[in-house]
């Protein structure tokens, strides 16, 4: 017979074990990263390590020149498939997941039936230029007004004119929207609505800020903008902090309900994933193009250089302001070396070739394939290679191509520094081309600041996971996360001031030869 003391210690033991099991069980975070060409699901553990990952590409639909669409079914189908695959790979069940975080391609626009969930047409993707002409007029007439409210320079990228296009062009859409039968959402909203079987109709500040319908100063959907674009307010989702409780997935979806604890646009997710949560923190994503974002704290900075002002991720209803700029041709210049010039076999070769020569041999490439973006804004400009001599080799060309990525990022960063009046002392990096050590060392040298590449390259998914984990209490605060995360590689400036000046002068001269005005 067990004595009372033994019973109580046995109970204690089991209760403890149950607690341990329970906390172990709920120690995973599922990040859903719904991107432009693929959907990914990443399962992170409490140490922010990737436990499992699954990815699925889906179809890009090009109905006309310059138009880009996605099937809404493909978006949801690929999300469900990658989640299932990642959960199986991680050898866990839905019950082991403490929280879901969602990060998404921004601006892409969906409209669906409130009762059935059926979309009225394909999703109009951020890259789609169908409303470009309208946006030119809009910019000329209402540019200042829109910028003052939204921080955005009117462009077809943003959701507002895409949504207007749907209401104007899809049979019966406007009438149905006015009757309250249709809902609008960016991809985060659409995914949440489906995962919760219509119970959650919400978005976050970072996604709302890219619609061009949201006032980034009073943090509300803007009535004057809704009137301008003739958008019924009842179509719009509720807006919450990026890291906050959105609701539970429907039981039928994953077998048991899981809490959705973050939604955040991809670039802002990466910024948070780098823990760039203080004023002046800066990150660059080196993908096909580059996205440079600077946290400017509680100050919305007005740019004199054509950069946009937007909102960053946070756990509170006071999201930070962010300055954002992009380089049109980033890693794409390496694709051009591979597929256009055919002077490298794969992107990784570019690093060895660039290092095979002592310097650029006087060569500069300005990859203005589709014009120059911020801070130069010259749509007519086309690319140039300058400084070619009889001694120019393949190595010089490859090196100049990689250097061109760094110069463009540096020009953007300098513009941000001027706009914000904030010194830059550290650049956090991610994206496909950030694995190139030569590029990152040159970036550190030319910007004269530390360039830091994290160990986990899944920075976007990680940002959504951090926000979700903090909301769910997996981590108690940012300090705990900082203590967990290990830095990958730090590139420290190692170039003389004189050499930097000479190189920057060479780049500036080459730029002048490229510009049309
Ligand atoms: P995206 O998300 O825009 O599709 P990724 O982050 O996947 O882009 O990065 C892909 C880009 O990175 C391509 O343009 C490719 O040329 C470039 N890239 C990949 N590996 C390297 C490398 N080792 N050096 C330089 N560029 C690279």
């Amino acid at each position: 017979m067990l004595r009372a003391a033994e019973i109580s210690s046995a109970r204690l033991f089991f209760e403890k074990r149950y607690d341990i099991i329970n906390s172990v069980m709920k120690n995973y975070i599922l990040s859903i990263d719904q991107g432009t060409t693929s959907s990914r699901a990443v399962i992170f553990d409490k140490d922010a390590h990737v436990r499992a990952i699954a990815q699925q590409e889906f179809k890009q639909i090009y109905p006309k020149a310059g138009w880009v669409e996605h099937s809404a079914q493909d978006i949801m189908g690929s999300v469900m498939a990658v989640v299932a695959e990642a959960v199986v790979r991680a050898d866990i069940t839905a019950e082991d997941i403490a929280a879901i975080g969602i990060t998404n391609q921004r601006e892409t626009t969906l409209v669906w039936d409130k009762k059935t969930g059926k979309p009225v047409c394909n999703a109009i993707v951020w890259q789609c230029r169908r409303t470009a002409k309208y946006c030119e007029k809009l910019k000329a007439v209402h540019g200042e007004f829109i910028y003052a409210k939204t921080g955005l320079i009117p462009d077809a990228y943003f959701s507002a004119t895409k949504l207007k296009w749907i209401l104007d062009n899809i049979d019966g859409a406007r009438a149905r929207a006015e009757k309250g039968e249709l809902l609008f959402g960016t991809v985060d909203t659409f995914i949440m609505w489906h995962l919760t079987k219509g119970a959650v109709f919400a978005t976050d500040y970072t996604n709302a800020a890219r619609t061009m319908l949201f006032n980034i100063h009073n943090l509300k959907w803007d009535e004057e903008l809704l009137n301008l674009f003739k958008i019924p307010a009842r179509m719009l989702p509720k807006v919450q902090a990026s890291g906050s409780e959105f609701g539970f997935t429907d039981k039928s979806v994953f077998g048991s309900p899981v809490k959705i604890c973050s939604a955040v646009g991809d670039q802002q997710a990466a910024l948070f994933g780098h823990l760039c949560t203080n004023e002046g923190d800066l990150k660059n994503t080196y993908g096909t193009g580059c996205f440079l974002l600077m946290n400017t704290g509680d100050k919305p900075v007005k740019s004199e250089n054509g950069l946009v002002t937007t909102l960053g991720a946070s756990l509170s209803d006071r999201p930070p302001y962010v300055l954002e700029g992009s380089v049109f041709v980033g890693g794409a210049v390496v694709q051009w070396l591979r597929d256009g010039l055919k002077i490298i076999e794969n992107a990784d070769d570019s690093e060895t070739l660039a290092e095979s020569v002592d310097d650029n041999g006087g060569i500069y490439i300005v990859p203005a394939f589709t014009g120059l973006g911020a801070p130069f804004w010259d749509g007519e400009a086309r690319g140039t290679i300058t400084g070619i001599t009889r001694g120019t080799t393949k190595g010089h060309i490859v090196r100049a191509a990689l250097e061109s990525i760094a110069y463009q990022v540096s020009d953007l960063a300098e513009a941000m520094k001027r706009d914000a009046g904030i010194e830059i002392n550290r650049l956090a990096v991610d994206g496909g081309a950030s694995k190139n050590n030569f590029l990152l060392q040159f970036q550190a040298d030319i910007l004269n600041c530390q360039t830091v590449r994290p160990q986990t390259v899944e920075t976007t998914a990680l940002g959504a996971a951090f926000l979700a984990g903090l909301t769910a209490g997996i981590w108690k605060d940012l300090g705990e996360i900082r203590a967990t995360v290990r830095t990958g590689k730090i590139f420290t400036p190692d170039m003389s001031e004189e050499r930097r000046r000479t190189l920057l002068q060479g780049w500036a001269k080459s730029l002048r030869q490229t510009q049309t005005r």
Side-chain angles (χ1 to χ4, degrees):
M1 255 221 359
L2 287 171
R3 277 172 303 167
E6 283 167 339
I7 292 172
S8 90
S9 83
R11 188 182 305 134
L12 208 69
F13 173 78
F14 281 111
E15 277 172 1
K16 262 230 170 92
R17 271 203 57 90
Y18 180 76
D19 273 359
I20 293 166
I21 292 166
N22 212 16
S23 62
V24 168
M25 278 167 69
K26 292 279 182 203
N27 262 354
Y28 295 101
I29 297 166
L30 164 64
S31 230
I32 296 173
D33 178 359
Q34 205 301 305
T36 310
T37 56
S38 68
S39 297
R40 304 152 73 77
V42 187
I43 292 171
F44 291 98
D45 64 19
K46 198 174 158 38
D47 294 325
H49 289 146
V50 174
R51 164 98 180 206
I53 205 165
Q55 175 169 1
Q56 193 176 94
E57 290 195 7
F58 57 87
K59 202 164 101 193
Q60 306 293 309
I61 303 166
Y62 305 108
K64 288 186 189 182
W67 290 33
V68 191
E69 299 179 353
H70 292 157
S71 137
Q73 284 86 346
D74 285 355
I75 292 178
M76 254 345 272
S78 60
V79 165
M80 295 308 290
V82 291
V83 169
E85 196 180 327
V87 166
V88 169
R89 282 196 184 166
D91 197 16
I92 60 171
T93 71
E95 289 192 356
D96 304 327
I97 299 170
I100 293 179
I102 298 172
T103 177
N104 58 291
Q105 49 167 323
R106 302 176 303 174
E107 299 122 11
T108 296
T109 300
L110 290 126
V111 174
W112 65 95
D113 185 291
K114 195 178 178 173
K115 285 220 173 79
T116 63
K118 197 168 174 274
V120 301
C121 60
N122 279 335
I124 305 185
V125 178
W126 61 274
Q127 297 154 319
C128 186
R129 304 306 296 165
R130 79 183 64 189
T131 58
K133 269 226 169 78
Y134 170 69
C135 284
E136 272 170 34
K137 276 190 251 156
L138 190 69
K139 191 171 160 186
V141 183
H142 300 291
E144 287 291 317
F145 170 76
I146 292 174
Y147 179 76
K149 286 172 178 285
T150 64
L152 304 174
I153 298 162
D155 192 276
Y157 281 139
F158 308 116
S159 317
T161 64
K162 299 180 195 294
L163 172 53
K164 178 176 166 25
W165 187 94
I166 293 175
L167 296 183
D168 289 344
N169 291 277
I170 300 297
D171 251 3
R174 184 169 293 285
R176 290 174 66 198
E178 274 160 10
K179 276 196 269 171
E181 292 173 13
L182 300 182
L183 302 177
F184 152 78
T186 41
V187 171
D188 55 317
T189 305
F190 185 70
I191 293 175
M192 279 194 278
W193 194 88
H194 276 276
L195 293 182
T196 61
K197 297 271 178 213
V200 174
F201 180 50
T203 189
D204 82 306
Y205 292 118
T206 66
N207 277 295
R210 308 288 296 187
T211 59
M212 210 159 76
L213 297 169
F214 195 70
N215 187 316
I216 60 167
H217 305 289
N218 66 15
L219 304 179
K220 290 192 165 68
W221 295 116
D222 192 275
E223 228 171 274
E224 287 180 307
L225 290 174
L226 295 182
N227 287 339
L228 175 66
F229 296 110
K230 300 195 174 62
I231 311 290
R234 58 204 298 193
M235 299 186 77
L236 305 175
K238 175 181 153 209
V239 188
Q240 321 183 176
S242 308
S244 62
E245 290 190 4
F246 285 86
F248 282 88
T249 60
D250 190 83
K251 194 167 175 290
S252 63
V253 176
F254 298 130
S256 55
V258 189
K259 211 186 317 181
I260 302 172
C261 289
S262 78
V264 56
D266 52 9
Q267 295 307 322
Q268 286 94 330
L271 190 70
F272 202 89
H274 284 294
L275 299 173
C276 288
T277 52
N278 296 314
E279 184 181 292
D281 287 349
L282 188 71
K283 76 92 197 173
N284 186 53
T285 300
Y286 296 86
T288 310
C290 297
F291 284 93
L292 187 68
L293 270 73
M294 179 192 262
N295 184 331
T296 64
D298 53 12
K299 284 197 301 262
V301 173
K302 191 169 186 313
S303 175
E304 302 298 330
N305 295 288
L307 304 172
V308 301
T309 307
T310 194
L311 296 171
S314 74
L315 296 151
S316 81
D317 279 317
R318 296 203 51 203
Y321 290 96
V322 164
L323 262 181
E324 174 171 336
S326 55
V327 167
F328 300 150
V329 180
V333 73
V334 178
Q335 287 166 341
W336 171 69
L337 296 178
R338 189 193 60 194
D339 308 333
L341 292 189
K342 297 192 167 54
I343 59 173
I344 55 171
E345 245 178 58
N346 57 59
D348 293 348
D349 293 347
S350 63
E351 183 172 334
T352 335
L353 265 164
E355 278 167 351
S356 73
V357 288
D358 291 336
D359 56 27
N360 66 8
I363 302 291
Y364 292 88
I365 298 181
V366 181
F369 300 159
T370 53
L372 286 167
F376 306 106
W377 296 112
D378 183 347
E380 302 303 310
R382 289 298 174 264
T384 52
I385 305 180
T386 56
I388 302 171
T389 66
R390 185 66 181 78
T392 300
T393 65
K394 183 159 113 169
H396 293 125
I397 299 283
V398 172
R399 186 168 177 131
L402 288 177
E403 290 183 355
S404 78
I405 304 174
Y407 285 125
Q408 294 178 90
V409 171
S410 168
D411 286 341
L412 263 187
E414 290 293 335
M416 279 186 184
K417 199 161 108 179
R418 287 196 301 277
D419 281 336
I422 294 174
E423 274 307 310
I424 295 169
N425 42 37
R426 183 179 183 272
L427 174 71
V429 303
D430 62 283
S434 75
K435 62 173 184 253
N436 190 309
N437 293 315
F438 170 81
L439 170 63
L440 295 196
Q441 183 58 51
F442 189 73
Q443 187 72 78
D445 289 341
I446 219 67
L447 249 185
N448 198 20
C449 84
Q450 269 192 355
T451 301
V452 182
R453 181 173 59 200
Q455 204 167 46
T456 301
V457 288
E458 292 296 330
T459 320
T460 307
L462 191 60
F466 284 161
L467 287 159
L470 285 165
T471 304
I474 285 268
W475 296 290
K476 72 175 187 305
D477 54 25
L478 279 170
E480 194 182 342
I481 293 182
R482 281 184 211 279
T484 312
V485 177
R486 270 169 288 158
T487 309
K489 197 167 157 66
I490 299 177
F491 298 83
T492 306
D494 183 23
M495 183 182 272
S496 73
E497 190 54 44
E498 191 193 342
R499 173 126 191 83
R500 181 178 312 116
R501 205 172 321 118
T502 310
L503 285 171
L504 285 170
Q505 278 165 358
W507 168 251
K509 183 171 166 209
S510 209
L511 263 178
R512 282 197 299 279
Q513 289 172 271
T514 310
Q515 282 164 306
T516 59
R517 49 193 154 85

